[in-house]
Amino acid sequence: MDVRIREAARQDLDLVWAATTETVWNDLPPEERTRLDRKAFEAHFRAQAKRVIDSRRNAIYVAESEEGRVAGYAIVGGASSMLSPMPFGFLYDIWVAPQFRRQGVARRLLQEAERWCRGRGFRTLRLEVGARNAAARALYASAGFQEERVALRKAL
């Protein structure tokens, strides 16, 4: 599918907020979701994500279909870790509308995120993905991403 990539505009932000909130909610382990109040989760998440979405140091790219419909978006920024002094690019979120999935939209958005990172001198692009999100993990592996660290959890 041929898409045009552009920087997000103000009118895109309602969709970005709704989709990123839903993505994060769905990525939570099921047993954690059952213990969370959805409104409390959304309030907490919005406060955390606002810094990322509102930051002028980050970028939000939108993929548009030939008809001008939003097919997806990616949020990318710079980050650092307490493990290394080397900064890196970080893909905070990538989302594709259901009707546009498996048509190359996510891959184009990944390429745009990589271009943005290279333009800022970052030598790596990192992201996090839910362990159960097989489709996203397959996409990232096919795009050359490799596991770097593995997060483990134990319910108490």
Side-chain angles (χ1 to χ4, degrees):
M1 164 178 210
D2 192 31
V3 294
R4 179 175 79 93
I5 305 294
R6 63 170 173 78
E7 288 195 40
R10 184 170 303 282
Q11 66 266 20
D12 299 312
L13 293 183
D14 286 343
L15 172 66
V16 169
W17 273 112
T20 197
T21 302
E22 192 65 25
T23 298
V24 172
W25 175 257
N26 289 331
D27 246 6
L28 291 173
E31 65 276 8
E32 191 171 327
R33 277 196 313 262
T34 62
R35 294 190 311 259
L36 279 174
D37 173 72
R38 177 71 185 247
K39 288 191 184 299
F41 157 78
E42 288 183 10
H44 171 80
F45 175 72
R46 190 168 186 102
Q48 301 300 316
K50 186 170 178 29
R51 292 189 303 252
V52 172
I53 291 174
D54 289 351
S55 174
R56 295 188 192 281
R57 297 175 63 186
N58 299 330
I60 303 174
Y61 289 102
V62 170
E64 279 186 337
S65 70
E66 294 170 348
E67 302 83 34
R69 294 175 42 210
V70 174
Y73 68 83
I75 304 170
V76 63
S80 62
S81 156
M82 62 185 221
L83 302 177
S84 169
M86 295 295 296
F88 51 88
F90 192 81
L91 186 66
Y92 288 99
D93 192 22
I94 188 168
W95 174 85
V96 176
Q99 66 271 28
F100 294 109
R101 291 181 182 161
R102 302 211 182 278
Q103 297 180 47
V105 175
R107 191 167 304 281
R108 286 278 288 118
L109 287 164
L110 280 173
Q111 291 168 346
E112 189 65 21
E114 291 174 11
R115 184 199 62 74
W116 185 90
C117 290
R118 281 188 200 96
R120 279 145 189 83
F122 297 124
R123 299 183 58 126
T124 57
L125 174 60
R126 297 180 184 176
L127 57 84
E128 292 181 7
V129 61
R132 293 177 318 283
N133 193 339
R137 291 181 68 163
L139 166 70
Y140 299 138
S142 73
F145 286 83
Q146 300 172 356
E147 284 187 9
E148 183 177 65
R149 302 187 63 73
V150 176
L152 303 175
R153 65 182 229 113
K154 177 182 175 181
L156 301 176

